[in-house]
C-alpha cells in the first residue's frame, strides 16, 4: 500500500467520494483512509486468496452462523472517522445487508489481514491497522504475515491498542479467543509463502 497524501484535513465524506470514483475508473483500485492518511491497497495474489479460502472453510466448519466477508469496507477508528478494507471480516452472514460501501463495524467479531508484498507492510499491518481496529472495538484482529511466516492474534481492545497479542510461527496451533472461539492449525500456511 502506498501513501498518497498526508492531508489531515480531508473529510471522511470526501474520501468516500474519491474511493468510489477510483474504484469505478481503475479496475482493482482500493483506497483506505486511516489517521487522515489516504493509501491504496494492493490487489491480493493467488496465495493470498488461498489463505482467505482456507480460513473461510475453517470458520464455516466451526461457526456456520457466521460468514467471512471479504474486502468489505468498514468504518474504523474513534468516531468511525477512518475507512479500512480488511481482507476479511467475520460477522453474522446478514450483518451488512442494507448498508453501503462502508459498513458499521459493531457486528464484526474479527478482522483479518494477510500481508502482501508492499514496502510499507510493517507500518500498515503491524502498527496502523491494529490501532484502528482496537479504536473501533473489534474484539479480534488476526494478522497472517507471509513475510515473517508468523500468525498474530490481537485481542482485548483497550482504546488505541489491543491488550493481548500472541504471535507464533506458521505450523503452530493458535487460538482465536472469544467471541470467535476457534483454534487454527497453521501448518498449511507454509504452502502459501514465497
Amino acid at each position: 500500500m502506498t501513501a498518497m497524501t498526508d492531508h489531515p484535513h480531508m473529510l471522511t465524506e470526501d474520501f468516500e467520494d474519491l474511493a468510489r470514483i477510483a474504484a469505478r475508473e481503475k479496475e482493482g483500485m482500493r483506497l483506505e483512509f486511516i489517521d487522515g492518511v489516504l493509501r491504496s491497497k494492493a490487489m491480493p495474489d493467488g496465495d493470498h486468496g488461498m489463505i482467505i479460502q482456507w480460513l473461510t472453510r475453517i470458520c464455516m466448519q466451526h461457526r456456520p452462523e457466521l460468514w467471512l466477508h471479504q474486502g468489505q469496507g468498514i468504518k474504523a477508528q474513534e468516531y468511525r472517522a477512518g475507512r479500512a478494507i480488511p481482507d476479511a471480516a467475520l460477522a453474522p452472514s446478514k450483518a451488512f445487508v442494507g448498508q453501503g460501501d462502508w459498513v458499521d463495524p459493531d457486528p464484526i467479531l474479527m478482522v483479518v489481514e494477510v500481508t502482501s508484498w508492499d514496502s510499507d507492510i510493517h507500518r500498515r499491518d503491524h502498527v496502523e491497522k491494529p490501532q484502528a481496529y482496537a479504536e473501533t472495538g473489534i474484539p479480534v484482529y488476526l494478522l497472517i504475515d507471509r513475510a515473517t511466516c508468523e500468525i498474530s492474534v490481537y485481542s482485548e481492545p483497550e482504546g488505541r491498542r489491543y491488550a493481548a497479542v500472541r504471535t507464533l510461527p506458521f505450523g503452530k496451533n493458535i487460538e482465536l479467543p472469544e467471541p470467535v472461539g476457534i483454534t487454527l492449525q497453521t501448518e498449511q500456511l507454509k504452502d502459501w509463502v514465497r
Side-chain angles (χ1 to χ4, degrees):
M1 183 162 24
T2 305
M4 298 181 76
T5 181
D6 267 337
H7 193 292
H9 302 293
M10 177 181 275
L11 298 175
T12 304
E13 295 79 16
D14 294 338
F15 164 76
E16 288 179 356
D17 291 341
L18 181 62
R20 200 173 0 267
I21 292 166
R24 188 174 55 237
E25 294 298 319
K26 184 168 176 162
E27 184 178 346
M29 174 67 84
R30 301 183 311 161
L31 299 177
E32 294 181 304
F33 187 58
I34 299 173
D35 278 342
V37 178
L38 177 65
R39 297 189 188 280
S40 65
K41 183 168 181 164
M43 288 299 296
D45 61 27
D47 290 339
H48 183 286
M50 282 304 302
I51 291 170
I52 296 296
Q53 192 177 100
W54 165 82
L55 189 57
T56 299
R57 285 189 178 121
I58 293 168
C59 291
M60 288 179 67
Q61 289 171 351
H62 294 277
R63 299 293 304 271
E65 76 280 12
L66 302 175
W67 185 250
L68 198 62
H69 303 265
Q70 294 181 43
Q72 176 63 62
I74 63 170
K75 297 174 184 175
Q77 296 184 277
E78 285 183 305
Y79 314 114
R80 310 294 194 250
R83 298 292 182 264
I85 305 173
D87 291 319
L90 186 66
S93 62
K94 296 181 181 180
F96 308 130
V97 171
Q99 297 190 44
D101 296 336
W102 304 98
V103 301
D104 179 36
D106 290 341
I108 297 174
L109 305 180
M110 176 178 73
V111 287
V112 179
E113 294 288 353
V114 177
T115 60
S116 58
W117 306 108
D118 295 343
S119 61
D120 64 347
I121 206 94
H122 183 78
R123 183 184 68 235
R124 184 186 74 233
D125 289 340
H126 292 270
V127 178
E128 295 173 352
K129 290 284 185 100
Q131 179 179 319
Y133 296 144
E135 285 179 29
T136 305
I138 295 171
V140 177
Y141 169 45
L142 176 65
L143 174 59
I144 300 172
D145 191 330
R146 296 187 292 164
T148 63
C149 295
E150 293 177 324
I151 188 165
S152 298
V153 176
Y154 296 71
S155 60
E156 302 174 30
E158 291 181 350
R160 297 175 59 90
R161 68 180 196 87
Y162 284 97
V165 180
R166 182 154 191 226
T167 301
L168 293 173
F170 290 177
K172 299 285 186 180
N173 293 349
I174 193 162
E175 181 184 338
L176 302 176
E178 294 299 331
V180 180
I182 297 172
T183 298
L184 298 177
Q185 298 173 356
T186 68
E187 183 67 31
Q188 195 164 11
L189 291 175
K190 294 176 181 179
D191 295 339
W192 301 311
V193 296
R194 289 185 183 170

